Amino acid sequence: MSSTEALDLNNLPQHVAIIMDGNGRWAHKRGLPRTMGHRAGMDALRAVVKALDAIGTKYLTVYAFSTENWKRPEEEVGMLMSLIREYIYKELMALHRQKVKISIIGERERLPDDVRKKLEEAVEKTKDNPGMRFIIALNYGSREEIARAARCLAERVLAGELMPQDIDGQAFAKCLYTDGTPDPDLIIRTSGEMRLSNFLLWQGAYAELVVTECLWPDFREAHVHEAIREYQMRQRRFGGIIEGS
C-alpha cells in the first residue's frame, strides 16, 4: 500500500502550514556550511509543494523568512535572499503549469529590490491560476501582523468608519495579511522544536499541530502523508465537545 492509499481522502486538511526548520542542523551533521542546508531545503520545498498539490490541498503556507531572521549573520541572510530569488526563478514556470497561485504575506519593503521584483512577477503571473494557493511568508512575524491589524482598526475608528463596539474577531481577521484565506487546519513543524516561533498565532488558534523530528531538508512526500495521517486521527472540537468523548 502506498502512503497516499493510506490517507482518508475525505478528511484532508484544506489548509496546511509548515514551519520549515532544521536546515542548519542538517548541514552541521554533515560538516557543511549552514548555507548548504538552506540550499538542500529548496529540494524539500519542491517535493512538498508537488505532494500536497497532488492530493488536492487547497492552501499551503510556508514560513520562509521571519522578521527575527534578520538577526542572523549578514552572509547567511544574503544567501537566504539569493535562494528565495533562485527558487522563484527556477520554479515559477513549473508552478504556473501546475496552475498554482502564488501569494506573499509579510512586510515586503525591507526585502532587496531584486527579490521583491521577482516575487511580484510570480504573484502577477499566477494570479488567475485556479489551483492550489501557495502562500510564502517572507519577512513575516505574527505579532507584528496583529499590531498592524490593530492600527488598521484604530485608524478606521478615528476616521469614523467603524464603531468600537463593531470590532469583533471577523473584523480583526479582515485586517490580517491572510484576509480571504481560511485558517490552517494543520501546522507542521520539522526538526522537533515544540513552538510556533511567531507564526500564524491568530490564524492557528485551532490548528492541529504535528511536530516531526525530521530535519527540513530530508522532508519528503512520505513525511507529508505521515503528518496528514496523524491529523486524521485527531478529533477537532474547536472548544466544544464530541458525544462520547
Side-chain angles (χ1 to χ4, degrees):
M1 179 183 293
S2 72
S3 59
T4 305
E5 290 172 337
L7 296 177
D8 178 357
L9 299 180
N10 295 313
N11 182 29
L12 294 171
Q14 179 180 212
H15 183 176
V16 176
I18 305 179
I19 301 173
M20 306 180 293
D21 193 21
N23 293 343
R25 271 165 285 175
W26 183 92
H28 180 73
K29 285 173 64 177
R30 290 161 176 77
L32 299 171
R34 285 176 59 85
T35 52
M36 294 304 294
H38 296 309
R39 181 167 291 282
M42 289 175 59
D43 295 331
L45 182 56
R46 184 181 301 114
V48 167
V49 170
K50 184 176 180 180
L52 286 170
D53 185 45
I55 61 172
T57 303
K58 291 183 169 56
Y59 300 87
L60 166 64
T61 301
V62 297
Y63 204 7
F65 191 89
S66 77
T67 51
E68 290 79 17
N69 285 157
W70 295 106
K71 300 173 186 176
R72 295 186 177 189
E74 186 176 345
E75 179 184 0
E76 183 174 347
V77 170
M79 175 63 169
L80 284 167
M81 290 296 148
S82 295
L83 283 176
I84 291 165
R85 184 179 61 246
E86 181 182 334
Y87 176 82
I88 294 297
Y89 175 77
K90 289 184 173 180
E91 300 299 320
L92 178 56
M93 291 312 299
L95 292 169
H96 187 46
R97 285 194 296 272
Q98 289 173 238
K99 307 300 183 186
V100 170
K101 179 178 179 178
I102 298 172
S103 299
I104 309 297
I105 60 173
E107 294 290 344
R108 300 188 197 182
E109 290 73 15
R110 193 175 175 182
L111 299 174
D113 290 343
D114 57 341
V115 173
R116 190 166 62 245
K117 182 178 179 181
K118 207 69 189 171
L119 292 169
E120 290 169 353
E121 176 188 332
V123 169
E124 177 63 25
K125 188 170 189 65
T126 63
K127 66 180 182 180
D128 296 322
N129 285 350
M132 183 176 76
R133 177 100 168 265
F134 179 28
I135 304 163
I136 305 173
L138 269 173
N139 196 24
Y140 172 86
S142 191
R143 286 182 172 181
E144 291 77 4
E145 178 187 28
I146 289 169
R148 175 179 174 271
R151 287 194 299 272
C152 169
L153 291 170
E155 288 166 1
R156 291 188 61 197
V157 169
L158 285 173
E161 300 172 3
L162 187 69
M163 296 298 291
Q165 59 268 30
D166 294 329
I167 297 175
D168 56 14
Q170 185 175 7
F172 194 88
K174 285 184 175 297
C175 293
L176 298 172
Y177 290 125
T178 51
D179 178 34
T181 303
D183 291 340
D185 303 294
L186 169 63
I187 296 178
I188 302 169
R189 179 162 190 152
T190 59
S191 87
E193 300 290 347
M194 304 290 286
R195 55 179 177 269
L196 288 174
S197 296
N198 202 17
F199 180 56
L200 300 180
L201 300 180
W202 175 280
Q203 299 90 333
Y206 285 102
E208 295 297 325
L209 306 179
V210 173
V211 176
T212 172
E213 295 292 332
C214 180
L215 301 176
W216 175 248
D218 293 326
F219 201 76
R220 291 295 186 273
E221 179 183 50
H223 300 98
V224 172
H225 293 169
E226 183 180 351
I228 292 175
R229 283 196 297 275
E230 184 169 339
Y231 163 86
Q232 291 178 338
M233 291 165 57
R234 309 270 181 90
Q235 288 187 329
R236 304 189 72 198
R237 292 187 286 271
F238 299 96
I241 61 172
I242 295 176
E243 187 175 349
S245 65

PDB file of all heavy atoms in Angstrom, residues 166-183:
ATOM      1  N   ASP A 166     -18.248  47.548  17.143  1.00  0.00           N
ATOM      2  CA  ASP A 166     -18.387  46.697  15.960  1.00  0.00           C
ATOM      3  C   ASP A 166     -17.138  45.864  15.692  1.00  0.00           C
ATOM      4  O   ASP A 166     -17.123  45.050  14.762  1.00  0.00           O
ATOM      5  CB  ASP A 166     -18.693  47.553  14.724  1.00  0.00           C
ATOM      6  CG  ASP A 166     -20.050  48.231  14.825  1.00  0.00           C
ATOM      7  OD1 ASP A 166     -20.954  47.646  15.456  1.00  0.00           O
ATOM      8  OD2 ASP A 166     -20.208  49.341  14.281  1.00  0.00           O
ATOM      9  N   ILE A 167     -16.097  46.077  16.490  1.00  0.00           N
ATOM     10  CA  ILE A 167     -14.862  45.316  16.290  1.00  0.00           C
ATOM     11  C   ILE A 167     -15.013  43.935  16.938  1.00  0.00           C
ATOM     12  O   ILE A 167     -15.201  43.817  18.147  1.00  0.00           O
ATOM     13  CB  ILE A 167     -13.653  46.049  16.893  1.00  0.00           C
ATOM     14  CG1 ILE A 167     -13.447  47.388  16.185  1.00  0.00           C
ATOM     15  CG2 ILE A 167     -12.396  45.183  16.781  1.00  0.00           C
ATOM     16  CD1 ILE A 167     -12.356  48.240  16.793  1.00  0.00           C
ATOM     17  N   ASP A 168     -14.980  42.916  16.120  1.00  0.00           N
ATOM     18  CA  ASP A 168     -15.044  41.537  16.606  1.00  0.00           C
ATOM     19  C   ASP A 168     -13.965  40.717  15.896  1.00  0.00           C
ATOM     20  O   ASP A 168     -13.138  41.277  15.160  1.00  0.00           O
ATOM     21  CB  ASP A 168     -16.434  40.932  16.381  1.00  0.00           C
ATOM     22  CG  ASP A 168     -16.867  40.991  14.915  1.00  0.00           C
ATOM     23  OD1 ASP A 168     -16.014  41.256  14.039  1.00  0.00           O
ATOM     24  OD2 ASP A 168     -18.057  40.737  14.638  1.00  0.00           O
ATOM     25  N   GLY A 169     -13.965  39.442  16.121  1.00  0.00           N
ATOM     26  CA  GLY A 169     -12.939  38.601  15.516  1.00  0.00           C
ATOM     27  C   GLY A 169     -12.951  38.650  14.009  1.00  0.00           C
ATOM     28  O   GLY A 169     -11.898  38.645  13.364  1.00  0.00           O
ATOM     29  N   GLN A 170     -14.124  38.721  13.433  1.00  0.00           N
ATOM     30  CA  GLN A 170     -14.238  38.753  11.976  1.00  0.00           C
ATOM     31  C   GLN A 170     -13.661  40.046  11.418  1.00  0.00           C
ATOM     32  O   GLN A 170     -12.937  40.041  10.417  1.00  0.00           O
ATOM     33  CB  GLN A 170     -15.706  38.600  11.568  1.00  0.00           C
ATOM     34  CG  GLN A 170     -15.909  38.495  10.065  1.00  0.00           C
ATOM     35  CD  GLN A 170     -17.369  38.233   9.699  1.00  0.00           C
ATOM     36  OE1 GLN A 170     -18.245  38.251  10.560  1.00  0.00           O
ATOM     37  NE2 GLN A 170     -17.623  37.994   8.441  1.00  0.00           N
ATOM     38  N   ALA A 171     -13.977  41.165  12.075  1.00  0.00           N
ATOM     39  CA  ALA A 171     -13.444  42.459  11.632  1.00  0.00           C
ATOM     40  C   ALA A 171     -11.927  42.480  11.754  1.00  0.00           C
ATOM     41  O   ALA A 171     -11.225  43.027  10.892  1.00  0.00           O
ATOM     42  CB  ALA A 171     -14.065  43.587  12.450  1.00  0.00           C
ATOM     43  N   PHE A 172     -11.429  41.907  12.850  1.00  0.00           N
ATOM     44  CA  PHE A 172      -9.987  41.877  13.061  1.00  0.00           C
ATOM     45  C   PHE A 172      -9.298  41.041  11.991  1.00  0.00           C
ATOM     46  O   PHE A 172      -8.272  41.445  11.424  1.00  0.00           O
ATOM     47  CB  PHE A 172      -9.689  41.303  14.454  1.00  0.00           C
ATOM     48  CG  PHE A 172      -8.281  41.527  14.904  1.00  0.00           C
ATOM     49  CD1 PHE A 172      -7.928  42.683  15.576  1.00  0.00           C
ATOM     50  CD2 PHE A 172      -7.300  40.587  14.655  1.00  0.00           C
ATOM     51  CE1 PHE A 172      -6.623  42.896  15.994  1.00  0.00           C
ATOM     52  CE2 PHE A 172      -6.001  40.786  15.063  1.00  0.00           C
ATOM     53  CZ  PHE A 172      -5.656  41.952  15.741  1.00  0.00           C
ATOM     54  N   ALA A 173      -9.866  39.878  11.685  1.00  0.00           N
ATOM     55  CA  ALA A 173      -9.260  38.969  10.709  1.00  0.00           C
ATOM     56  C   ALA A 173      -9.177  39.603   9.330  1.00  0.00           C
ATOM     57  O   ALA A 173      -8.256  39.301   8.554  1.00  0.00           O
ATOM     58  CB  ALA A 173     -10.058  37.668  10.641  1.00  0.00           C
ATOM     59  N   LYS A 174     -10.102  40.502   9.018  1.00  0.00           N
ATOM     60  CA  LYS A 174     -10.083  41.172   7.712  1.00  0.00           C
ATOM     61  C   LYS A 174      -8.889  42.108   7.563  1.00  0.00           C
ATOM     62  O   LYS A 174      -8.538  42.507   6.448  1.00  0.00           O
ATOM     63  CB  LYS A 174     -11.390  41.935   7.486  1.00  0.00           C
ATOM     64  CG  LYS A 174     -12.573  41.047   7.156  1.00  0.00           C
ATOM     65  CD  LYS A 174     -13.799  41.867   6.841  1.00  0.00           C
ATOM     66  CE  LYS A 174     -14.952  40.965   6.391  1.00  0.00           C
ATOM     67  NZ  LYS A 174     -14.644  40.244   5.142  1.00  0.00           N
ATOM     68  N   CYS A 175      -8.267  42.477   8.678  1.00  0.00           N
ATOM     69  CA  CYS A 175      -7.106  43.367   8.632  1.00  0.00           C
ATOM     70  C   CYS A 175      -5.787  42.612   8.648  1.00  0.00           C
ATOM     71  O   CYS A 175      -4.717  43.228   8.651  1.00  0.00           O
ATOM     72  CB  CYS A 175      -7.155  44.353   9.805  1.00  0.00           C
ATOM     73  SG  CYS A 175      -8.506  45.538   9.707  1.00  0.00           S
ATOM     74  N   LEU A 176      -5.845  41.293   8.659  1.00  0.00           N
ATOM     75  CA  LEU A 176      -4.630  40.479   8.642  1.00  0.00           C
ATOM     76  C   LEU A 176      -4.185  40.235   7.198  1.00  0.00           C
ATOM     77  O   LEU A 176      -4.965  40.369   6.254  1.00  0.00           O
ATOM     78  CB  LEU A 176      -4.870  39.147   9.346  1.00  0.00           C
ATOM     79  CG  LEU A 176      -5.234  39.222  10.832  1.00  0.00           C
ATOM     80  CD1 LEU A 176      -5.639  37.839  11.346  1.00  0.00           C
ATOM     81  CD2 LEU A 176      -4.080  39.776  11.656  1.00  0.00           C
ATOM     82  N   TYR A 177      -2.925  39.852   7.030  1.00  0.00           N
ATOM     83  CA  TYR A 177      -2.419  39.533   5.689  1.00  0.00           C
ATOM     84  C   TYR A 177      -3.231  38.426   5.047  1.00  0.00           C
ATOM     85  O   TYR A 177      -3.345  38.350   3.820  1.00  0.00           O
ATOM     86  CB  TYR A 177      -0.968  39.036   5.772  1.00  0.00           C
ATOM     87  CG  TYR A 177       0.055  40.072   6.140  1.00  0.00           C
ATOM     88  CD1 TYR A 177       0.898  39.877   7.230  1.00  0.00           C
ATOM     89  CD2 TYR A 177       0.226  41.229   5.381  1.00  0.00           C
ATOM     90  CE1 TYR A 177       1.870  40.808   7.565  1.00  0.00           C
ATOM     91  CE2 TYR A 177       1.190  42.168   5.712  1.00  0.00           C
ATOM     92  CZ  TYR A 177       2.014  41.955   6.804  1.00  0.00           C
ATOM     93  OH  TYR A 177       2.973  42.873   7.133  1.00  0.00           O
ATOM     94  N   THR A 178      -3.790  37.565   5.864  1.00  0.00           N
ATOM     95  CA  THR A 178      -4.457  36.364   5.369  1.00  0.00           C
ATOM     96  C   THR A 178      -5.941  36.555   5.099  1.00  0.00           C
ATOM     97  O   THR A 178      -6.670  35.567   4.946  1.00  0.00           O
ATOM     98  CB  THR A 178      -4.265  35.218   6.381  1.00  0.00           C
ATOM     99  OG1 THR A 178      -4.654  35.681   7.679  1.00  0.00           O
ATOM    100  CG2 THR A 178      -2.812  34.765   6.426  1.00  0.00           C
ATOM    101  N   ASP A 179      -6.400  37.791   5.046  1.00  0.00           N
ATOM    102  CA  ASP A 179      -7.817  38.051   4.764  1.00  0.00           C
ATOM    103  C   ASP A 179      -8.236  37.289   3.506  1.00  0.00           C
ATOM    104  O   ASP A 179      -7.574  37.364   2.471  1.00  0.00           O
ATOM    105  CB  ASP A 179      -8.039  39.549   4.563  1.00  0.00           C
ATOM    106  CG  ASP A 179      -9.477  39.886   4.213  1.00  0.00           C
ATOM    107  OD1 ASP A 179     -10.388  39.193   4.706  1.00  0.00           O
ATOM    108  OD2 ASP A 179      -9.682  40.837   3.437  1.00  0.00           O
ATOM    109  N   GLY A 180      -9.323  36.547   3.609  1.00  0.00           N
ATOM    110  CA  GLY A 180      -9.816  35.780   2.473  1.00  0.00           C
ATOM    111  C   GLY A 180      -9.287  34.365   2.401  1.00  0.00           C
ATOM    112  O   GLY A 180      -9.712  33.580   1.552  1.00  0.00           O
ATOM    113  N   THR A 181      -8.359  34.020   3.297  1.00  0.00           N
ATOM    114  CA  THR A 181      -7.780  32.679   3.331  1.00  0.00           C
ATOM    115  C   THR A 181      -8.285  31.958   4.574  1.00  0.00           C
ATOM    116  O   THR A 181      -8.233  32.523   5.670  1.00  0.00           O
ATOM    117  CB  THR A 181      -6.241  32.755   3.392  1.00  0.00           C
ATOM    118  OG1 THR A 181      -5.767  33.498   2.271  1.00  0.00           O
ATOM    119  CG2 THR A 181      -5.629  31.363   3.374  1.00  0.00           C
ATOM    120  N   PRO A 182      -8.778  30.742   4.459  1.00  0.00           N
ATOM    121  CA  PRO A 182      -9.222  30.017   5.657  1.00  0.00           C
ATOM    122  C   PRO A 182      -8.052  29.740   6.595  1.00  0.00           C
ATOM    123  O   PRO A 182      -6.906  29.603   6.159  1.00  0.00           O
ATOM    124  CB  PRO A 182      -9.805  28.715   5.094  1.00  0.00           C
ATOM    125  CG  PRO A 182      -9.168  28.554   3.763  1.00  0.00           C
ATOM    126  CD  PRO A 182      -8.939  29.931   3.234  1.00  0.00           C
ATOM    127  N   ASP A 183      -8.339  29.670   7.886  1.00  0.00           N
ATOM    128  CA  ASP A 183      -7.300  29.374   8.860  1.00  0.00           C
ATOM    129  C   ASP A 183      -6.703  27.995   8.590  1.00  0.00           C
ATOM    130  O   ASP A 183      -7.386  27.101   8.073  1.00  0.00           O
ATOM    131  CB  ASP A 183      -7.883  29.395  10.280  1.00  0.00           C
ATOM    132  CG  ASP A 183      -8.273  30.793  10.733  1.00  0.00           C
ATOM    133  OD1 ASP A 183      -7.766  31.769  10.137  1.00  0.00           O
ATOM    134  OD2 ASP A 183      -9.080  30.907  11.679  1.00  0.00           O
TER     135      ASP A 183
END
